[in-house]
């Protein structure tokens, strides 16, 4: 991806996190990215293209901050600890996570009213659920694939809900993290 295109996507994420999807104006995006509006249209064609590509950018950013910085030595941590660590990284008080989570929530809410976002959002969500289901399978090797997929759906939905409550100030971050750890424990304790 070109550097300009990446900078535009970073700027779009900032604008969406700050003003919401409805507040995203191409002129403001151009100013935020330090480029012309024609360059934005060159790279993304229209507003729907900007939103679709921003969603992919947000997902890629989340993949980076939830991934291990350095691979852990084999058997260094339990699969359960690995699962918790990945999920808890979605609930970090860092500027990147706050911005990403806020923009993700805005795009998810907008998909209710803008059907063109739904397919891309569903695909991105499916990938995240699949990744969590794989971690669950490692933590619970006796479980079934359908059970892991259902648990992954519940846990990722919980992360999104906890994130919205935390970001909106109705739930302290440490409490959100404790609730998430309790949910992981409950999911792994199921028969």
């Amino acid at each position: 991806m070109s550097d300009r295109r990446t900078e535009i996507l970073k700027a779009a994420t900032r604008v969406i996190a700050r003003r919401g999807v409805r507040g995203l104006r191409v002129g403001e995006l151009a100013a935020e990215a330090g480029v012309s509006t024609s360059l934005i249209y060159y790279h993304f064609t229209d507003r729907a293209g900007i939103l679709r590509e921003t969603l992919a950018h947000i997902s890629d950013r989340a993949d980076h901050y939830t991934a291990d910085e350095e691979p852990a030595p084999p058997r260094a941590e339990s699969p359960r600890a690995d699962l918790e660590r990945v999920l808890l990284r979605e609930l970090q008080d860092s500027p990147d996570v706050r911005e990403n989570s806020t923009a993700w929530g805005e795009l998810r809410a907008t998909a209710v009213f803008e059907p063109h976002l739904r397919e891309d959002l569903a695909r991105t969500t499916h990938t995240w659920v699949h990744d969590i289901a794989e971690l669950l399978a490692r933590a619970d090797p006796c479980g079934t694939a359908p059970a892991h997929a259902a648990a992954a759906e519940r846990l990722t939905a919980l992360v999104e809900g906890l994130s919205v409550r935390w970001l909106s100030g109705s739930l302290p971050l440490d409490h959100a993290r404790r609730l998430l750890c309790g949910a992981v424990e409950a999911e792994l304790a199921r028969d």
Side-chain angles (χ1 to χ4, degrees):
M1 185 180 315
S2 75
D3 289 339
R4 292 259 182 174
R5 194 168 195 280
T6 301
E7 290 307 312
I8 294 167
L9 292 171
K10 287 178 182 177
T13 303
R14 285 191 303 272
V15 171
I16 291 170
R18 188 172 57 238
R19 298 181 44 85
V21 173
R22 288 184 176 184
L24 177 66
R25 304 287 181 261
V26 176
E28 182 181 352
L29 174 56
E32 181 83 21
V35 299
S36 68
T37 57
S38 60
L39 186 61
I40 290 173
Y41 286 117
Y42 169 79
H43 282 291
F44 303 102
T45 310
D46 56 15
R47 187 171 189 277
I50 295 166
L51 295 176
R52 186 174 39 259
E53 293 299 319
T54 302
L55 179 63
H57 172 74
I58 289 168
S59 180
D60 289 344
R61 264 176 66 172
D63 287 346
H64 290 292
Y65 65 70
T66 59
D68 286 328
E69 299 80 35
E70 295 179 21
R75 301 182 193 271
E77 287 196 29
S78 71
R80 176 188 170 156
D82 191 32
L83 170 65
E84 281 186 359
R85 187 176 58 252
V86 168
L87 290 170
L88 287 170
R89 285 182 179 160
E90 293 286 352
L91 298 172
Q92 299 178 68
D93 194 8
S94 75
D96 284 349
V97 174
R98 279 180 168 272
E99 183 178 272
N100 232 44
S101 295
T102 302
W104 174 268
E106 283 291 324
L107 287 161
R108 179 168 296 290
T110 299
V112 171
F113 304 103
E114 295 190 29
H116 67 274
L117 274 177
R118 291 179 189 163
E119 187 176 318
D120 295 315
L121 187 62
R123 187 174 24 260
T124 303
T125 301
H126 176 76
T127 300
W128 184 28
V129 169
H130 178 76
D131 292 346
I132 297 303
E134 286 183 349
L135 291 171
L136 280 160
R138 282 189 242 146
D140 178 26
C142 295
T144 65
H148 295 142
E153 286 280 358
R154 288 187 294 270
L155 288 171
T156 56
L158 178 63
V159 168
E160 287 180 337
L162 291 172
S163 180
V164 168
R165 288 185 181 192
W166 160 56
L167 291 167
S168 66
S170 61
L171 186 68
L173 179 59
D174 60 332
H175 186 60
R177 294 172 65 90
R178 282 193 305 275
L179 289 171
L180 181 57
C181 289
V184 168
E185 182 177 332
E187 290 294 348
L188 293 176
R190 290 178 184 263
D191 291 330

